Amino acid sequence: MGTKNSRLQGFYELNPFERLQMVKSFDGLNDEDLHMLHGGNGALSVERADKMIENVVGTFNLPLGVATNFQINGRDLLIPMVVEEPSIVAGASYAAKLVRAGGGFHTTSTKALMIGQVQLVKVSAPTSACYDILARKQEILDRANAQSRSLVALGGGACDLEVNFFPNSPMGSMLVVHLVVDCRDAMGANAINSMCEAVAPLLEQITGGRAYLRILSNLSDRRLSRARATIPPHALARDGLSGDEVVEGILWAYSFAAVDPYRATTHNKGIMNGIDPVLVATGNDWRAVEAGAHAYAARSGQYASLSVWERDAAGNLVGALEMPMAVGIIGGATKVHPTAQVALKLLDVQHAHELAEICVCAGLASNLAAMRALATEGIQRGHMGLHARQIAMAAGASGALVDEVACRMVEERNVKPARANELIIELQGHLTN
């Protein structure tokens, strides 16, 4: 275990600048890195944004927070999270503290295998066409790999070929060829799409059919990451509830998601609450990961919980999360967006699978935080304080008045814009008298 300690006592009580200095001392960021994290609009210039997407007219800021307490495979980490929803960063940090009591998170990953698909239609003899394609497998793989020699040089590239026959569709039968590509430390979308484009004419020649779609699949079910956490009951005890009672409540909350798609959808949203902010912070395609996650959740034929929770023989709460995680640390926005580069530096990851494993740990932590809140105090109370601050600011409060208005609304359990307006008028009147 390294000397770094992500248990930053009193971190939430500091102001943003003080927190930034503590983050710098934790991970050796330099002053330029701090400027990127604390630079507001300067972090992403309009000029740079104009090169990233089309029709740029400006940039849009979101809060960047740091989740503390994470220990993953014996290594302490601070996790950057970009998100607008209250309680996510705090919840993940608190859950990570609970997991530390049981030895921290433990993770594994599969190889970074992704699938590119080429759709072939109007194939007159599909059965023999399948054999013909597989007979020329190496020729097809070689043509694909000619499109990305750098990936091949790193030990990746197209490594396998599969053919699927769909006899019925709304338009008729089709063959779908799968290129299986090892993407190494890239997300891989651009490389895979180029490979599919390159092999499509050869597949048309082999089959006598016509190639339509040539594109990667975001169901990256061969690129999985897994996280496991053990929480002793004593760490969960609170407010007159024993640890065993809290474990019981969490297991009932999980069981609800395991059998009911309506609950599973919100349960899995709670998992993605932890994952998406890390993806955004590091410049990764969170929409691709979301798509793959929800498809994977329905792989049994019914949409269900991505995570699994149980009680071990010693009475500990044990959680596990396995899901597709197509992320990269090279290429795309990860190398264009300056704040994403600083986020990756803070995480100190050398390979994409390390980032993927951090993401699933953040997801499992967020899941634990939500279920614990639901099983003990209800999710609304946990959200109320931060939500009240947002309502107060939206009503026009600023400075110290924000906290005063928020506290009054929470005490009254009346967190509404109309009440915020009334309190602002009342409190401002006291200040002027």
Side-chain angles (χ1 to χ4, degrees), residues 114 186-189 216-221 223-225 268-269 271-280 282-298 303 306 321-328 334 352 355-363:
M114 300 278 286
M187 186 274 184
L216 89 160
S217 169
N218 286 128
L219 177 52
S220 48
D221 57 358
R223 190 176 188 173
L224 303 174
S225 290
N268 289 341
K269 190 267 184 182
I271 291 172
M272 301 312 295
N273 274 348
I275 292 171
D276 287 344
V278 186
L279 298 173
V280 175
T282 57
N284 272 277
D285 187 347
W286 60 270
R287 299 159 305 279
V289 175
E290 279 270 358
H294 296 298
Y296 194 69
Y303 188 89
L306 283 165
L321 174 61
E322 176 190 81
M323 59 181 285
M325 192 57 61
V327 300
T334 60
L355 175 58
E357 290 165 13
I358 289 169
C359 288
V360 290
C361 290

Side-chain angles (χ1 to χ4, degrees), residues 112-119 162 164 166 176-181 183 186-197 213-224 285 287-296 324-327:
L113 300 180
M114 300 278 286
I115 289 172
Q117 298 181 296
V118 180
Q119 177 195 35
E162 301 166 350
N164 299 290
F166 295 93
V176 179
V177 178
H178 282 185
L179 275 178
V180 182
V181 182
C183 297
M187 186 274 184
N190 291 333
I192 293 169
N193 290 342
S194 296
M195 289 178 178
C196 290
E197 291 284 356
L213 271 63
R214 315 153 173 90
I215 190 168
L216 89 160
S217 169
N218 286 128
L219 177 52
S220 48
D221 57 358
R222 304 182 198 195
R223 190 176 188 173
L224 303 174
D285 187 347
R287 299 159 305 279
V289 175
E290 279 270 358
H294 296 298
Y296 194 69
M325 192 57 61
V327 300

Side-chain angles (χ1 to χ4, degrees), residues 55-94:
N55 298 347
V56 166
V57 296
T59 60
F60 184 92
N61 288 334
L62 286 171
L64 189 156
V66 172
T68 59
N69 302 324
F70 277 83
Q71 188 178 86
I72 301 174
N73 298 332
R75 177 179 167 227
D76 275 42
L77 291 169
L78 297 179
I79 299 182
M81 305 178 84
V82 172
V83 66
E84 85 296 341
E85 184 177 333
S87 302
I88 289 175
V89 178
S93 299
Y94 184 77

